[in-house]
Amino acid sequence: MNNSAAKKIYFNRPQRLTQLIGANTTVIVAGRRTGKTDSIAAPFVLRNMQRMPGSTGGIVVPTFKHGLTNTLPGLLAAWKRWGFINGVHYVVGRRPPKSFAKPITEPHDYEHVISFYNGSIAIIISQDRPGSSNSLTLSWLLVDEAKFIDYDKLKDETLPANGGIKSHFGHHSFNHSIMILSDMPQTKRGSWFLHYREKMDTDLIAAIEATVYEIWRIKSRIKSLRNTQSEIPSYLRNHLRRLDRALNQMRSVAVYYKEYSSIENLQLLGENYIKQMKRDLTPLTFQTSILCQRIGIAKDGFYSSMRERHKYNASDFESLDLAFKSLCDDKVMEADNLIAHNLITCKADADVNPLAPICIGLDYNANINWIVAGQPSGKRLNIIKSFYVKFERKLPELVADFCAYYATHQNKTVVFYYDSTALGGNYAVNDQDFRWVIIHEFERHGWRVEDVYLGNPMRHDEKYLLINQGFAGKQRLMPFFNRQNNDDLILAIQSAGVSRGRLGFRKDKAGEKLAETEEDRLEHRTDGTDAFDTLYIGCEKFPYNDTGISVALGGIV
């Protein structure tokens, strides 16, 4: 490592506790922006690769695209801050240089492998790539974005491979270790890891904490004796060795489970903050974001007929492999910047028909704006991707993001569905309304726009019936969501509630006007769901045919 590695690194209390406890099985459930990847996962992977030279570990991600945009950039960015240099200390996606030590078990190829200078390797195991766990002998596992992981695949294909090489690393408490990271799941299927809470022995964890403290206390005493050039009693060294052995034994069988909510930071945030959040946020948002409580798709939610089967994966691995290789060129970036730098484009999506136009619905707001894109295919409406921009980035930037992602799409036609909310409104972009801005920006980027007017917005009760019948297969089109391209939209849809007031049955939109907080993100509110509604209503009621004519199939109220 270079000299920058000697700099002090800050870890908050949850991150320090996770590392100090060092349990063989660690499960952390925490919200976004809590440093799960760069301050919990990155030290875990680095420790295992450094201290088990020549070992093989696995980084399990739900899809290869998810790993490229969410997991790997954070890991590599953290290592870079700590002084580990791409091409010097490790390489990604290629055969390592001859100066690197060889792994104990060499992989068949290095296409999806991170190789360390000491022979340790980490293999990217993506569940959408068949056979990525086959014939592996692993010494550790990192399972990221666990709420999206297919547990049956993990249990049958990957967990049996995590047996380690006991002849080499059996003395380490972290041999055969597993770390599971996620935010709170929204579905029963995504909740497979929550049962680890019952497996944790709290007395054992307390004993580990006490032993870590005692080791620190004795080492501090030894250091103090050295500083005064005093003789160090042999019993201190013997006691330290006994404590190390005991700690290693306890860690080797320990399960550590922790959920982090805002209540954990009560001393820092203050009681008034919690009270304010309970007053300002919707009950569902407070339950999940503040209290970190477990929920699923509400049976009385606005999209109550949506099921797990309405989500799908669709990756073009050849395109993603090229993006993965770009990490070898030191293009280590923050999450999502692989997309921002056009290293991941629509070429990575196997569900896009490049010869067909792309249908879009939008939502317009002063603080957040959405495009939800889809393509009808037979009786399916595939929601192929969603985009949003926030705050100072407005509609021109939103359209630019769309056009950059779909730059290689052959049919440069968008079918723009809009209702009366797009007419007459603006937030000082220029003197024109939203509809004009959208059409103008697409044409400026070289796209042709077929704009389809839906009339006044559909009443909430009619919209509820139409879309939920669509999910149930009782309409012409059934919506399906590309999981890796619609994370935030899916969460917003699953969280959307209903309210009943003097105007009758409605989607609960009470939280839309509140200021954004770290716990209540704009992208998880109902704005994006309104863009999806517009897209579905347009494709269902005004299908775009091959001659470019939109034909109304029923009235819009």
Side-chain angles (χ1 to χ4, degrees):
M1 290 176 59
N2 59 26
N3 290 334
S4 66
K7 294 180 181 179
K8 288 187 177 180
I9 302 168
Y10 173 77
F11 294 103
N12 62 31
R13 186 174 183 274
Q15 294 158 358
R16 291 198 306 272
L17 271 176
T18 302
Q19 295 178 48
L20 289 173
I21 290 170
N24 185 266
T25 299
T26 299
V27 182
I28 303 296
V29 184
R32 291 187 175 192
R33 301 184 178 227
T34 52
K36 292 193 298 292
T37 300
D38 64 357
S39 297
I40 295 179
F44 171 81
V45 175
L46 186 62
R47 177 203 66 184
N48 293 341
M49 297 183 80
Q50 286 280 79
R51 297 186 62 183
M52 292 190 288
S55 64
T56 299
I59 299 175
V60 184
V61 291
T63 66
F64 195 41
K65 187 175 183 180
H66 216 118
L68 282 178
T69 56
N70 290 49
T71 306
L72 290 179
L75 284 178
L76 303 186
W79 293 352
K80 185 177 182 180
R81 289 197 306 271
W82 303 338
F84 290 87
I85 302 172
N86 193 347
V88 176
H89 300 99
Y90 66 92
V91 296
V92 181
R94 61 184 173 92
R95 183 172 290 278
K98 293 182 179 180
S99 59
F100 280 28
K102 286 187 176 296
I104 296 169
T105 303
E106 282 208 72
H108 297 301
D109 61 65
Y110 287 86
E111 192 173 19
H112 305 116
V113 173
I114 302 173
S115 302
F116 244 66
Y117 64 91
N118 64 354
S120 296
I121 60 174
I123 299 176
I124 312 304
I125 300 171
S126 55
Q127 291 198 319
D128 60 339
R129 188 188 292 269
S132 56
S133 298
N134 290 352
S135 305
L136 296 181
T137 301
L138 305 174
S139 295
W140 55 269
L141 273 179
L142 168 67
V143 182
D144 196 28
E145 301 285 356
K147 70 178 183 180
F148 298 124
I149 291 292
D150 184 327
Y151 179 65
D152 289 333
K153 282 187 178 181
L154 183 74
K155 173 171 58 73
D156 296 338
E157 300 175 11
T158 309
L159 291 181
N162 188 27
I165 305 177
K166 291 183 172 57
S167 59
H168 287 81
F169 311 119
H171 60 288
H172 286 304
S173 62
F174 40 83
N175 185 46
H176 186 45
S177 61
I178 180 170
M179 175 173 280
I180 300 170
L181 301 176
S182 182
D183 53 8
M184 186 58 71
Q186 303 289 319
T187 66
K188 183 177 180 181
R189 186 168 182 257
S191 304
W192 60 270
F193 52 90
L194 298 182
H195 74 280
Y196 279 95
R197 180 168 64 178
E198 284 71 49
K199 294 185 176 183
M200 182 175 70
D201 185 337
T202 55
D203 291 337
L204 178 60
I205 298 301
I208 290 174
E209 291 176 333
T211 305
V212 168
Y213 173 76
E214 181 65 10
I215 289 173
W216 171 83
R217 192 182 67 82
I218 292 177
K219 285 183 175 179
S220 297
R221 184 178 175 189
I222 291 174
K223 182 179 179 181
S224 177
L225 290 171
R226 283 200 183 114
N227 290 339
T228 59
Q229 297 183 340
S230 302
E231 183 178 354
I232 301 172
S234 59
Y235 74 85
L236 279 182
R237 289 197 175 94
N238 293 336
H239 185 41
L240 192 59
R241 283 192 287 270
R242 286 194 296 271
L243 288 173
D244 280 332
R245 287 195 296 270
L247 179 62
N248 190 69
Q249 185 176 4
M250 287 188 290
R251 282 173 166 170
S252 68
V253 296
V255 174
Y256 182 61
Y257 178 96
K258 195 67 177 177
E259 295 176 2
Y260 289 113
S261 74
S262 297
I263 304 297
E264 297 283 345
N265 292 324
L266 183 62
Q267 186 174 2
L268 176 64
L269 296 173
E271 187 175 345
N272 288 336
Y273 173 83
I274 305 300
K275 289 180 178 178
Q276 180 185 347
M277 289 298 100
K278 187 173 184 180
R279 181 177 66 248
D280 292 346
L281 300 181
T282 64
L284 183 61
T285 302
F286 183 81
Q287 180 185 4
T288 56
S289 297
I290 303 300
L291 302 181
C292 199
Q293 291 181 352
R294 312 175 184 196
I295 67 166
I297 301 175
K299 291 182 179 179
D300 58 349
F302 194 80
Y303 302 93
S304 56
S305 296
M306 182 183 179
R307 298 291 183 265
E308 189 66 25
R309 64 189 178 91
H310 293 115
K311 307 169 194 173
Y312 65 92
N313 298 320
S315 295
D316 183 290
F317 294 115
E318 184 176 346
S319 175
L320 290 174
D321 286 342
L322 292 175
F324 183 68
K325 288 180 172 61
S326 71
L327 294 175
C328 302
D329 301 326
D330 202 29
K331 293 176 180 175
V332 182
M333 311 169 197
E334 297 297 329
D336 297 331
N337 273 2
L338 289 174
I339 293 177
H341 288 261
N342 294 329
L343 294 173
I344 294 181
T345 67
C346 64
K347 289 183 178 180
D349 299 330
D351 57 338
V352 177
N353 180 356
L355 302 178
I358 299 175
C359 302
I360 59 172
L362 285 92
D363 186 69
Y364 321 91
N365 192 292
N367 290 325
I368 186 167
N369 292 272
W370 282 82
I371 290 178
V372 177
Q375 284 186 321
S377 177
K379 295 183 177 181
R380 294 171 62 106
L381 173 60
N382 291 329
I383 310 302
I384 54 178
K385 189 166 175 61
S386 51
F387 303 80
Y388 63 84
V389 293
K390 294 163 65 172
F391 304 124
E392 70 280 356
R393 302 189 78 225
K394 301 295 184 183
L395 292 178
E397 290 81 8
L398 179 64
V399 173
D401 289 350
F402 176 100
C403 293
Y405 189 82
Y406 289 105
T408 60
H409 191 73
Q410 295 180 43
N411 188 331
K412 291 292 196 299
T413 301
V414 290
V415 182
F416 169 34
Y417 292 111
Y418 66 98
D419 58 29
S420 60
T421 60
L423 304 176
N426 207 318
Y427 32 62
V429 174
N430 49 41
D431 295 331
Q432 306 295 333
D433 58 21
F434 297 131
R435 171 189 170 276
W436 184 92
V437 173
I438 295 300
I439 295 174
H440 174 76
E441 289 299 322
F442 270 108
E443 291 178 343
R444 193 170 68 84
H445 285 278
W447 287 68
R448 186 172 68 90
V449 180
E450 289 284 348
D451 57 316
V452 182
Y453 182 52
L454 305 181
N456 291 325
M458 183 179 281
R459 280 178 13 206
H460 282 235
D461 54 347
E462 293 189 357
K463 184 191 298 186
Y464 172 87
L465 182 63
L466 174 73
I467 296 176
N468 280 290
Q469 283 184 340
F471 279 122
K474 297 178 181 179
Q475 294 290 343
R476 191 176 60 85
L477 293 174
M478 181 183 291
F480 292 85
F481 296 82
N482 182 315
R483 184 182 279 109
Q484 61 250 50
N485 283 354
N486 295 286
D487 281 352
D488 292 304
L489 177 62
I490 289 172
L491 181 56
I493 285 175
Q494 291 178 168
S495 303
V498 296
S499 63
R500 290 174 174 82
R502 61 183 182 85
L503 298 178
F505 180 86
R506 298 181 59 81
K507 184 190 295 185
D508 188 353
K509 299 163 67 69
E512 281 191 4
K513 305 302 180 185
L514 299 174
E516 182 181 51
T517 68
E518 288 296 327
E519 296 80 17
D520 182 26
R521 313 295 295 172
L522 292 177
E523 57 266 31
H524 297 152
R525 299 177 184 175
T526 51
D527 307 86
T529 71
D530 292 341
F532 161 70
D533 294 348
T534 301
L535 174 64
Y536 182 79
I537 292 168
C539 290
E540 176 66 30
K541 295 287 189 178
F542 290 78
Y544 181 84
N545 64 24
D546 294 336
T547 63
I549 301 172
S550 297
V551 183
L553 299 181
I556 298 291
V557 178

